[in-house]
Amino acid sequence: MDPEQVDEFVMGYLKKKGFNSAAKHLQESLHNNNGSSFSSIDYPNDPELTKLIRSFSQSENDPSRYREGYSKLRSWGYNSLDLYKHELLRVMYPVFIHCYMDLVGKGHTQEARSFFNSFRKDHEMVHLRDLQKLGGVLAPSHLQEMEFARSLRQSKINIKICQYSYDLLIQYLHRTESTLMLGIINEHINFQVYSGQPNSASDDIEAVTIVGSFHETADHVNQKEIHWGLLEDSLEDRLEKTGGLLSDSEKGQGESKAGDDSKKRSAEIGKQGSSTKKLKKDKAGTATTKVARQETSTVLSSMPRVKPELAMPVMSTDVEESILEDLRNRVQLSSVAMPSVSFYTFVNTHNGLNSSSISHDGSLVAGGFSDSSIKVWDMAKIGQAGSCALQDDNNQIVGKNGRRNYTLLVGHSGPVYSATFSPPGDYVLSSSADTTIRLWSTKLNANLVCYKGHNHTVWDAQFSPFGHYFASCSHDRTARIWSMDRMQPLRMMAGHLSDVDCVQWHPNCNYIATGSSDKTVRLWDVQTGECVRIFIGHRSMVLSLAMSPDGRYMASGDEDGTIMMWDLSTARCITPLMGHNSCVWTLSYSGEGSLLASGSADCTVKLWDVSSSTKLTKAEEKNGNSNRLRSIRTFPTKSTPVHALRFSRRNLLFAAGAYYMSDTVGSIFLNFDRFGIMAVFVNMSRDLRRATCDAIDRRSQIVVRFAVA
C-alpha cells in the first residue's frame, strides 16, 4: 500500500468520524512536510498495520458484516460452559434485533429479511409476539413510524450477569476484534454485573428489562400519590363495629344453620359431601382459624380509609343484609385451611365458548359464545332437573317440560368476549367484537341498553364492586368508564401501546387497572382519567388481573403462565409466582386476602399463600430476595382449561371452564368476495385469531390450521 493511500484513508476516516480538528492538524503536517511525514514507516512490509487500516477503511455499509459477526457470537454463546451459557445467551436477543434494524435502516432490505429468517427461531419461544411486530419493519421509514421499533431504538436493555460471564464476553469481543458487535452491545445494552456464581434461575423475571424514555416516564408517573385504602363506612367497618366477626364458639349455632343451608344448596348442584367435610375441617382447625380471624380483624382496622371520588349508588336493605350475613359466616382461609372448590364444566360447546362468569353466590353461570349469543344457567333449575335432564337434537339439555334449562340472550352481531354479573346478580354485562357493550336483565331476560363508544373489538367489561359503574377495554388501545344510566362513557383512558386485554376495579372504586398486550399494567384515576402507576416486568401480554381485598396489592397473569404480585404504593413487583405452563386466564383473591387462586389454559387451578410473600423484611428487600413462592395446592381438571374463578363472600371457590378434546384443531375458512377477504374462525382461541389477523393484514403468510395444546 502506498503512503499516499494510507494518508487518504486516515484523513477520510478522521473526517467521517467527526475528528475535524485532528484531520486539520494532519493536513497541515502533511503540507509542511510536503507529504513525507509517514515516509519513515515501511507500509508495504507491515502487514498488521495494513490489515488494521483496511479494516477501518472498509465500508460500514457492508451487510455481510452483521451476519458474520452475529453468527460467530451466537456459536460462541451456545458452545460456552453450561454454568455460564444461560447468562451469555441473554445478550443474543438484543444484538439480534438491533442488527436487523441496522440493516433495515441502511436500506439493505433483502439482507435484513434473510438475516431475520435465519436466526428468528432462536428467540421465538420467549419473544414470539415481538418478532411478529418486528417482522413488519421492512423499510427505514418504518423505524420511525412504528411505535414498537422506535421505542426499541430509543431504549436500552438491562441484563443481569455475573462478573465472570461479563469478563468472558468482553474478552471474546476483544480477542476476535468484533468491533461491530461490540459497538451494538455498547450502545444498546446496560450490564448489571454482580459478584459470585451465575444465578441458577435462568427464568429470572428481572434478568432482562428494557430501560429508556418509556421507563423514565414510568418512574415519573409512579411518583404520584395514590390512596389505596378502603372506603369510609364500608360494610366491613359496620360489621366490625357491631361485633359481627363472631368467634367459633359464638358462631356454633350459626354454623349449624349455615351448614343446613349449604347442604341444601349443595344438593341442588349434586355436591352433598363438601359441606360435611368443611364442617369437620373447621372444627379440627378451631385454634388456627381463630388466630387468622383475629389477624384479619386487626388488619381491617389498621387499613387507611378514603372517600369515594364517584357518587356511590344506594344499596337496598335486602342486598346489604345478605352481604352482611355472608361476611358474618365467612370461613377464614390460610395455607392450612383450604377452600372448597365447586367447578362448573361446559360440555358440547364445540369450542365456541369465549368467556364465562359466575355470580357472587355461585347461583348463576354465564357464557359468551362465538355465535354472538350469551347463555345463562340457573343452578337451582339444573338441580331440579336432576337425572331427568335430556338432550335434544342439538345436544341441548332440556327439562321435563321440554324447555331449555338456560336463558338464551341474543343481540350482539359478533363473538362475545366477556359476560359479567353485577354484584347482586340482577344484571349481566357483555362485550363483543361488534364494538358494543350490552346490559341484560336476569329477571326480565332481555337486553336493556346497548352502549357504543369503542372503535374496535371490546375484550373485557367489568362492574365496579358496588355496581352501577362499569369499565371496558378494547382493541382500540383504550379503556373507558361508564355508568348504567348514560349512553356515553364518563372517562376514557389512553396510553397503552397495544390492545387493552383486561380491566379490574380497585376495591374503593377510585381506580381501575388495565392489562395490555404491550406487556404492562397501568393504574388509572377514575376522577381525572390520568395514569398514576405503570407496572413493568411481564414478558408477554397481560391477560388477567385481581385486586387484594384491602386494596394494597394487585396480581397480574400473562400469556407465558407467570403471575406477578405488585405493591400499588411503590409499583414494585413483590414476587413472581411461577408454576403454570400456559396462559393465566383468571385470578381471584380470597375474602380476607390470604390466598390467591389462579386458573390457566394448562387445565389447572392453583392456590398460592400470598400473605407470606407480602411480609418481606427490609433486609430481604435490600438483598433482592424475591421470596418466590410455589403453589401450595394444585387442582387438575380433565382436559378443561379454566376460564373463570371467583371466591364467594363466604370463601367458597367457584370455577368454570369448557371441556376440550385433546386433538382439538382450529381452522379458518376464507371467503373471497368483491370487497376482499372475509375470514370465519372456527375452534380458535382469541390469541390465535389475533395472530392470524395480523398475518392476513401483512399479506405475508396465512396459516390455515392450528393445533391447540
Side-chain angles (χ1 to χ4, degrees):
M1 180 182 293
D2 296 335
E4 291 79 7
Q5 292 178 325
V6 175
D7 295 341
E8 291 178 2
F9 283 138
V10 173
M11 186 70 68
Y13 177 77
L14 292 175
K15 290 182 178 180
K16 187 173 184 178
K17 292 299 182 181
F19 302 122
N20 297 324
S21 178
K24 182 179 180 180
H25 287 300
L26 177 61
Q27 188 174 10
E28 291 177 355
S29 177
L30 291 174
H31 180 72
N32 294 333
N33 295 321
N34 296 322
S36 61
S37 60
F38 296 106
S39 59
S40 60
I41 302 177
D42 188 9
Y43 295 111
N45 297 325
D46 192 347
E48 292 297 328
L49 184 58
T50 301
K51 179 181 177 182
L52 178 62
I53 295 204
R54 284 190 181 277
S55 67
F56 283 128
S57 64
Q58 183 180 9
S59 174
E60 294 186 0
N61 292 327
D62 185 7
S64 63
R65 299 174 61 210
Y66 289 92
R67 175 182 285 273
E68 181 182 357
Y70 179 79
S71 180
K72 290 181 179 179
L73 179 63
R74 174 180 175 274
S75 299
W76 174 79
Y78 278 101
N79 291 326
S80 301
L81 294 176
D82 292 340
L83 181 62
Y84 308 104
K85 182 186 295 185
H86 70 274
E87 287 196 338
L88 295 173
L89 291 181
R90 292 171 184 168
V91 181
M92 300 302 154
Y93 177 68
V95 173
F96 168 73
I97 60 177
H98 284 290
C99 283
Y100 173 71
M101 288 189 290
D102 281 352
L103 286 170
V104 173
K106 294 179 179 180
H108 303 296
T109 306
Q110 296 292 340
E111 292 80 1
R113 295 304 302 174
S114 176
F115 175 83
F116 185 79
N117 294 329
S118 297
F119 301 109
R120 67 172 295 171
K121 290 184 179 179
D122 296 342
H123 314 287
E124 283 183 343
M125 182 174 294
V126 180
H127 305 284
L128 178 59
R129 290 198 172 274
D130 288 350
L131 293 177
Q132 290 174 347
K133 296 178 182 177
L134 204 59
V137 179
L138 301 174
S141 60
H142 294 172
L143 295 174
Q144 297 299 325
E145 295 171 357
M146 294 182 62
E147 294 180 358
F148 177 70
R150 188 170 64 252
S151 65
L152 288 176
R153 300 292 278 180
Q154 296 174 353
S155 304
K156 280 196 172 186
I157 296 180
N158 274 344
I159 296 181
K160 291 176 64 175
I161 191 172
C162 75
Q163 183 67 52
Y164 197 78
S165 298
Y166 177 77
D167 292 340
L168 285 175
L169 177 63
I170 299 302
Q171 289 175 10
Y172 164 79
L173 294 173
H174 284 290
R175 186 180 68 253
T176 58
E177 298 180 359
S178 303
T179 56
L180 181 61
M181 297 296 105
L182 181 60
I184 292 175
I185 291 174
N186 179 67
E187 185 177 357
H188 299 291
I189 298 178
N190 284 331
F191 287 104
Q192 296 179 343
V193 182
Y194 61 91
S195 59
Q197 292 296 318
N199 189 354
S200 59
S202 58
D203 58 347
D204 186 2
I205 292 296
E206 299 179 352
V208 181
T209 56
I210 299 178
V211 297
S213 57
F214 177 72
H215 278 65
E216 294 175 359
T217 302
D219 293 339
H220 176 73
V221 169
N222 292 339
Q223 294 176 0
K224 296 181 180 180
E225 184 181 5
I226 64 170
H227 304 283
W228 52 266
L230 300 178
L231 289 179
E232 295 178 348
D233 195 28
S234 63
L235 291 178
E236 289 80 0
D237 288 342
R238 299 181 200 175
L239 191 64
E240 188 176 358
K241 291 177 182 178
T242 58
L245 294 175
L246 304 177
S247 64
D248 290 336
S249 59
E250 295 172 335
K251 190 180 167 185
Q253 296 180 351
E255 276 188 340
S256 177
K257 185 176 181 180
D260 294 339
D261 295 340
S262 179
K263 288 181 181 180
K264 291 179 181 179
R265 183 180 300 174
S266 300
E268 293 175 350
I269 61 176
K271 298 185 179 294
Q272 297 90 338
S274 60
S275 297
T276 305
K277 292 180 181 178
K278 189 69 178 181
L279 188 58
K280 291 180 179 179
K281 185 182 292 185
D282 290 340
K283 291 181 178 180
T286 300
T288 303
T289 305
K290 190 172 183 178
V291 172
R293 182 174 290 107
Q294 291 174 351
E295 290 180 352
T296 302
S297 178
T298 303
V299 170
L300 286 175
S301 61
S302 63
M303 287 294 105
R305 296 297 187 264
V306 299
K307 295 181 179 180
E309 295 181 356
L310 297 175
M312 291 291 101
V314 179
M315 187 179 299
S316 66
T317 304
D318 294 340
V319 173
E320 182 176 337
E321 290 179 354
S322 175
I323 295 176
L324 290 174
E325 182 66 22
D326 287 338
L327 294 178
R328 290 190 189 98
N329 292 279
R330 173 183 290 168
V331 176
Q332 298 299 314
L333 303 178
S334 65
S335 59
V336 295
M338 297 292 175
S340 297
V341 182
S342 177
F343 197 100
Y344 302 115
T345 301
F346 292 81
V347 295
N348 297 325
T349 61
H350 306 292
N351 303 327
L353 181 69
N354 292 329
S355 64
S356 60
S357 179
I358 307 165
S359 63
H360 284 72
D361 59 0
S363 62
L364 298 175
V365 178
F369 291 85
S370 297
D371 63 359
S372 74
S373 67
I374 303 163
K375 298 176 183 178
V376 180
W377 284 264
D378 190 332
M379 294 297 104
K381 294 181 179 179
I382 292 181
Q384 292 172 1
S387 59
C388 297
L390 302 173
Q391 288 189 345
D392 62 8
D393 295 336
N394 296 322
N395 289 329
Q396 295 176 340
I397 300 177
V398 296
K400 294 181 179 180
N401 55 7
R403 295 182 179 179
R404 293 188 297 260
N405 281 332
Y406 62 81
T407 301
L408 182 64
L409 305 177
V410 179
H412 284 293
S413 58
V416 179
Y417 289 119
S418 75
T420 309
F421 287 99
S422 62
D426 50 353
Y427 298 106
V428 174
L429 192 68
S430 62
S431 65
S432 170
D434 63 9
T435 73
T436 67
I437 305 165
R438 289 180 179 266
L439 183 69
W440 311 81
S441 171
T442 57
K443 296 179 180 179
L444 302 176
N445 298 330
N447 180 222
L448 303 180
V449 189
C450 178
Y451 302 95
K452 298 180 181 180
H454 283 288
N455 299 323
H456 291 284
T457 301
V458 184
W459 295 123
D460 194 14
Q462 295 290 331
F463 271 108
S464 73
F466 297 92
H468 186 68
Y469 299 102
F470 61 91
S472 62
C473 59
S474 169
H475 178 63
D476 62 13
R477 305 182 184 183
T478 67
R480 305 179 190 227
I481 296 177
W482 313 69
S483 65
M484 292 171 55
D485 57 351
R486 293 179 180 270
M487 296 292 294
Q488 299 299 323
L490 305 178
R491 295 286 185 275
M492 182 176 70
M493 286 74 171
H496 281 292
L497 304 179
S498 187
D499 290 38
V500 185
D501 295 295
C502 53
V503 64
Q504 188 62 253
W505 284 83
H506 191 274
N508 62 23
C509 296
N510 291 337
Y511 305 96
I512 64 167
T514 55
S516 171
S517 294
D518 64 11
K519 307 177 187 177
T520 66
V521 180
R522 291 175 180 251
L523 191 71
W524 309 83
D525 189 316
V526 299
Q527 183 64 33
T528 63
E530 293 182 353
C531 178
V532 295
R533 287 291 182 273
I534 302 177
F535 305 91
I536 303 174
H538 281 286
R539 295 183 180 180
S540 58
M541 59 189 296
V542 181
L543 300 175
S544 55
L545 296 169
M547 293 284 184
S548 63
D550 60 7
R552 182 175 182 179
Y553 304 105
M554 177 180 65
S556 57
D558 65 22
E559 187 181 29
D560 292 339
T562 301
I563 303 169
M564 303 188 76
M565 283 194 59
W566 307 91
D567 187 333
L568 296 185
S569 59
T570 62
R572 181 179 61 89
C573 177
I574 299 173
T575 176
L577 308 179
M578 313 292 292
H580 285 294
N581 300 321
S582 188
C583 310
V584 179
W585 281 339
T586 178
L587 295 167
S588 181
Y589 275 95
S590 60
E592 72 291 329
S594 61
L595 296 183
L596 175 69
S598 60
S600 170
D602 63 8
C603 303
T604 62
V605 175
K606 291 182 180 290
L607 293 177
W608 313 81
D609 181 10
V610 295
S611 58
S612 60
S613 68
T614 59
K615 298 177 181 178
L616 295 179
T617 63
K618 293 184 177 180
E620 289 175 328
E621 294 179 1
K622 186 176 181 180
N623 295 331
N625 181 11
S626 62
N627 192 22
R628 178 177 297 176
L629 299 179
R630 299 293 176 182
S631 60
I632 58 176
R633 187 70 182 273
T634 300
F635 300 96
T637 65
K638 185 178 179 180
S639 300
T640 307
V642 184
H643 284 263
L645 287 173
R646 181 185 293 278
F647 273 100
S648 70
R649 297 187 183 95
R650 300 193 182 195
N651 270 344
L652 173 63
L653 179 58
F654 295 104
Y659 176 77
Y660 286 105
M661 300 298 292
S662 58
D663 59 347
T664 300
V665 175
S667 306
I668 306 174
F669 298 94
L670 297 179
N671 179 28
F672 295 85
D673 57 17
R674 63 190 181 92
F675 297 106
I677 299 178
M678 179 179 66
V680 181
F681 301 95
V682 179
N683 301 350
M684 294 177 63
S685 67
R686 182 178 74 184
D687 299 334
L688 291 178
R689 279 192 291 272
R690 185 182 302 165
T692 306
C693 286
D694 292 341
I696 293 174
D697 290 341
R698 291 196 305 270
R699 299 292 195 273
S700 58
Q701 182 180 5
I702 300 177
V703 182
V704 296
R705 293 185 70 80
F706 295 87
V708 180

